[in-house]
Amino acid sequence: MDYQKTGELLLKLKSAYESIGAETELVIEEPAGITEVEEIENKLERKLPVQIREFFLQFSGNCRFSAYLPDDFELPEELESIFSAEFLISLEELTCAEDRRKDWVEECFTDEEDEYNAVWHHKLGFMSVPNGDIIAFDIKESETNPPVVYLSHDDGDGHGYILGKDFNSYFEQLLLVGACGSEDWQILPFCSDARSGIISDCENAKEYRRLIGLQI
């Protein structure tokens, strides 16, 4: 990932949302130290996937962005579920999201033989969704460079959707669709199917960028 371009795009996002009257916040803290990362890995009893590990060490140990669209901001029907842009990627959030994923498995999704439950297993949560869902790595596919998947706790349409073939693809595409909110109903307008990942050059993405004034 080109972290200089990532930082520049985040500033463009903040400026675009502010231009339409959105309430925004952007925080990019300093990169984490290797000791901080290793402490998390010791707690998890596993190495972090390579790309998010590099993100923490080379870009930021705590990166968050939010923008809430004005109540009177009009969107076409295919995008009307979007009301915000929001993400939080940090070492602390990763541990919280993984703890929450484990809690869901232990309390609700214990049966790995069940098709729905099985999606919650062999994952590593890294971001909690405000509605209780989790965005996670599918470490059954790969422990070093896994795809990013959506885990729904209440039969959401996005359950099991691949959001990116790996962390870099997910994050880059997320920013290019305006960092749309993390609930599945806000993400799915930018996916063509359950395995496509977020697609930043789809018609919905182009229209959304036009509406918020994001030029890339």
Side-chain angles (χ1 to χ4, degrees), residues 101-172:
R101 184 197 67 84
K102 289 178 178 178
D103 288 344
W104 278 119
V105 169
E106 291 174 4
E107 295 173 11
C108 301
F109 306 117
T110 57
D111 184 7
E112 197 173 345
E113 299 302 314
D114 178 85
E115 183 178 0
Y116 191 95
N117 290 8
V119 177
W120 281 87
H121 291 252
H122 307 290
K123 304 297 188 293
L124 174 64
F126 71 87
M127 186 160 62
S128 301
V129 179
N131 65 8
D133 295 343
I134 302 290
I135 294 176
F137 293 111
D138 187 350
I139 55 176
K140 186 175 183 179
E141 291 294 318
S142 171
E143 294 198 0
T144 57
N145 197 30
V148 173
V149 297
Y150 192 92
L151 309 179
S152 172
H153 73 285
D154 60 352
D155 202 26
D157 290 341
H159 186 53
Y161 263 60
I162 294 174
L163 304 182
K165 67 178 182 179
D166 52 33
F167 174 75
N168 285 357
S169 296
Y170 160 73
F171 192 62
E172 289 168 353

Side-chain angles (χ1 to χ4, degrees), residues 37-48:
V37 171
E38 289 177 345
E39 285 176 354
I40 296 299
E41 291 177 330
N42 289 337
K43 180 179 179 180
L44 296 171
E45 298 182 335
R46 68 167 63 251
K47 286 281 190 182
L48 293 179

Side-chain angles (χ1 to χ4, degrees), residues 15-77:
S15 178
Y17 280 110
E18 287 176 342
S19 72
I20 61 169
E23 178 183 346
T24 68
E25 180 186 36
L26 172 61
V27 175
I28 307 174
E29 293 188 2
E30 292 296 312
I34 187 64
T35 301
E36 295 175 87
V37 171
E38 289 177 345
E39 285 176 354
I40 296 299
E41 291 177 330
N42 289 337
K43 180 179 179 180
L44 296 171
E45 298 182 335
R46 68 167 63 251
K47 286 281 190 182
L48 293 179
V50 170
Q51 292 179 351
I52 198 168
R53 195 177 199 267
E54 291 178 348
F55 180 93
F56 290 139
L57 291 171
Q58 297 181 28
F59 184 65
S60 176
N62 178 19
C63 180
R64 65 181 184 270
F65 176 73
S66 64
Y68 293 91
L69 300 180
D71 292 339
D72 59 354
F73 190 75
E74 294 186 4
L75 290 169
E77 182 179 356

Side-chain angles (χ1 to χ4, degrees), residues 3-13:
Y3 294 118
Q4 180 176 342
K5 289 184 178 179
T6 298
E8 292 170 354
L9 181 52
L10 283 166
L11 291 174
K12 284 185 179 181
L13 276 171

